[in-house]
Amino acid sequence: MASWRVVLLINTVALTEIRAHNSTLSKALGPGLVAIFVGGTSGIGLSTARDFVRSTQSPHIYLIGRDSAAAERIIPEFTSLNPNSKTTFIKSDVSLLKNVDEACRAIKAKEDKVNLLFMTAGYFTMNGARTDTGEGLDRKLALHYYSRMRFIHNLQPLLEAAGKNQDPKMNLSRVVSVLDSGMGRSGVPNFADLALKQNFGLKACAVHGCTMNSYAFEHLAAQMPYTSFIHASPGMVATNVGRDMGPIANAVFGVVNKLTRPLIPMNKSIEESGERHLFASTAPQFAPRNNAQGVQGVARGNDEAEGSGSYAVDYNSNIWPESQNARQLRKEGAVDKIWKHTEEVFGKIFGPDGKY
């Protein structure tokens, strides 16, 4: 573990470099980009959306979440940051995949492309028991994995349309899932019970959500070679992640985060986190597979191949070290097993019974 920390400290992308890149986006990218922020009314999603609005030309932002009151405050703020921007709020509880489909239908009715799908929706709990949704999935695992894959499934045509644009200023096509890409490379899921119907626990849920994101992204990068897929670790960020545990727990987490920030490199302010995630959402080194050739400094993919289109990004905006564990699981068919399971879940929930 100590060797990982040394590598990460050496390979930190400096905040000055992050800001220098982000400052070029208004010229490097064309006008009218469409960006969707799932979980975008608070925390890292909101911070990244704010920087995206501030840094790009006349973007159209979709915020998807449950908090209408927050959206009412955010929309005027975004307009003041960029008068040429447009922000649309879609109220939805995306722990239900049928609600994901409904939100995507609303977007597809208005848009013919999506340049960025940025997903942070989650559920923090210390309860070690499953909390089943009406669709037969654990709520936490649904938010951290299944709903994210369902958004990609539904929006695939729009993401591909953006990526195939012949104008290099307009062909940004990127999916970012903020969870824990380090665990995604080090964890070992229970392939006999990927949905954790019989073996649920908080640790198992974390391992499954993270590893399934990473290996699913490898599958998707091969299937959608004009779109890049980034599983990002935020580090320790003071958000309202504890809101479901009550205001006291949430406040305590925020105070501890602020006090320990000078001592812990992975501890980031919400502002820095937004800047770093905007970098992950736009930096050319995280290019899609079909556009990676000729990109100077293209990153090593999650599958250890340069420019493969699926990237595991750490809290310092760099690529995690190589993983023997991930390499072994890949040899044992992790990518195919996880995607087959994902399609099975979709088939059952959207079949006649409506439940997995």
Side-chain angles (χ1 to χ4, degrees):
M1 196 62 158
S3 62
W4 275 43
R5 289 180 182 145
V6 170
V7 171
L8 291 176
L9 287 172
I10 291 172
N11 291 329
T12 297
V13 179
L15 191 55
T16 53
E17 183 179 340
I18 299 290
R19 289 172 174 165
H21 164 80
N22 292 349
S23 69
T24 68
L25 294 179
S26 62
K27 293 181 179 179
L29 300 176
L33 299 180
V34 177
I36 300 167
F37 292 85
V38 182
T41 56
S42 65
I44 294 169
L46 172 57
S47 184
T48 308
R50 182 182 288 118
D51 281 335
F52 191 93
V53 168
R54 187 165 24 219
S55 303
T56 58
Q57 299 181 57
S58 56
H60 187 178
I61 305 296
Y62 286 89
L63 301 176
I64 301 178
R66 296 177 296 161
D67 194 341
S68 300
E72 290 176 1
R73 296 191 299 270
I74 294 165
I75 292 173
E77 177 198 350
F78 282 9
T79 301
S80 68
L81 287 173
N82 185 342
N84 294 318
S85 68
K86 178 181 179 182
T87 305
T88 300
F89 174 64
I90 298 176
K91 185 175 182 178
S92 183
D93 174 5
V94 297
S95 67
L96 291 173
L97 303 194
K98 291 180 180 178
N99 290 348
V100 173
D101 280 20
E102 184 177 343
C104 290
R105 278 194 294 270
I107 294 168
K108 290 195 287 188
K110 297 180 180 180
E111 306 293 344
D112 58 8
K113 69 175 187 325
V114 168
N115 299 98
L116 174 64
L117 173 59
F118 190 93
M119 298 177 286
T120 59
Y123 172 52
F124 182 76
T125 178
M126 296 302 292
N127 181 4
R130 279 177 63 95
T131 304
D132 274 21
T133 70
E135 296 172 335
L137 301 173
D138 171 68
R139 183 170 184 245
K140 186 178 181 73
L141 197 52
L143 285 168
H144 288 175
Y145 179 71
Y146 298 107
S147 73
R148 300 184 188 206
M149 297 307 116
R150 191 67 187 179
F151 270 106
I152 299 167
H153 171 84
N154 288 330
L155 297 173
Q156 178 175 347
L158 277 65
L159 287 161
E160 290 183 325
K164 292 178 180 178
N165 194 309
Q166 297 300 306
D167 184 347
K169 287 191 172 185
M170 297 298 295
N171 69 356
L172 178 70
S173 179
R174 198 158 292 191
V175 174
V176 180
S177 179
V178 179
L179 199 56
D180 187 339
S181 54
M183 184 178 290
R185 292 168 64 75
S186 63
V188 180
N190 181 345
F191 288 102
D193 184 21
L194 286 172
L196 296 174
K197 285 281 192 179
Q198 287 80 42
N199 300 281
F200 186 86
L202 289 178
K203 182 178 179 180
C205 188
V207 168
H208 278 226
C210 295
T211 55
M212 290 199 292
N213 264 272
S214 288
Y215 294 114
F217 273 10
E218 290 187 31
H219 167 84
L220 289 163
Q223 298 298 311
M224 300 169 60
Y226 290 94
T227 300
S228 55
F229 295 84
I230 296 173
H231 183 184
S233 290
M236 295 171 58
V237 182
T239 68
N240 63 346
V241 66
R243 64 189 179 277
D244 293 307
M245 297 180 65
I248 295 176
N250 203 32
V252 169
F253 179 81
V255 170
V256 171
N257 180 278
K258 187 173 182 178
L259 291 175
T260 58
R261 190 171 301 146
L263 307 174
I264 304 175
M266 70 183 294
N267 193 330
K268 310 295 184 185
S269 70
I270 191 67
E271 293 80 14
E272 179 177 345
S273 184
E275 291 175 295
R276 288 190 177 276
H277 284 94
L278 179 61
F279 177 83
S281 300
T282 55
Q285 56 261 49
F286 306 126
R289 178 173 299 203
N290 275 11
N291 294 339
Q293 288 188 349
V295 174
Q296 185 176 4
V298 68
R300 173 174 46 80
N302 194 57
D303 60 355
E304 316 300 354
E306 286 190 355
S308 63
S310 170
Y311 305 98
V313 178
D314 68 22
Y315 50 84
N316 284 324
S317 307
N318 222 310
I319 297 298
W320 287 102
E322 293 188 21
S323 168
Q324 293 294 333
N325 175 72
R327 183 178 288 111
Q328 182 60 36
L329 288 180
R330 196 175 296 109
K331 287 181 180 178
E332 295 172 3
V335 174
D336 290 340
K337 289 175 183 177
I338 286 170
W339 196 252
K340 181 179 179 182
H341 165 75
T342 306
E343 291 182 324
E344 178 186 274
V345 169
F346 290 170
K348 290 187 176 180
I349 289 176
F350 294 95
D353 295 331
K355 192 170 184 179
Y356 180 71

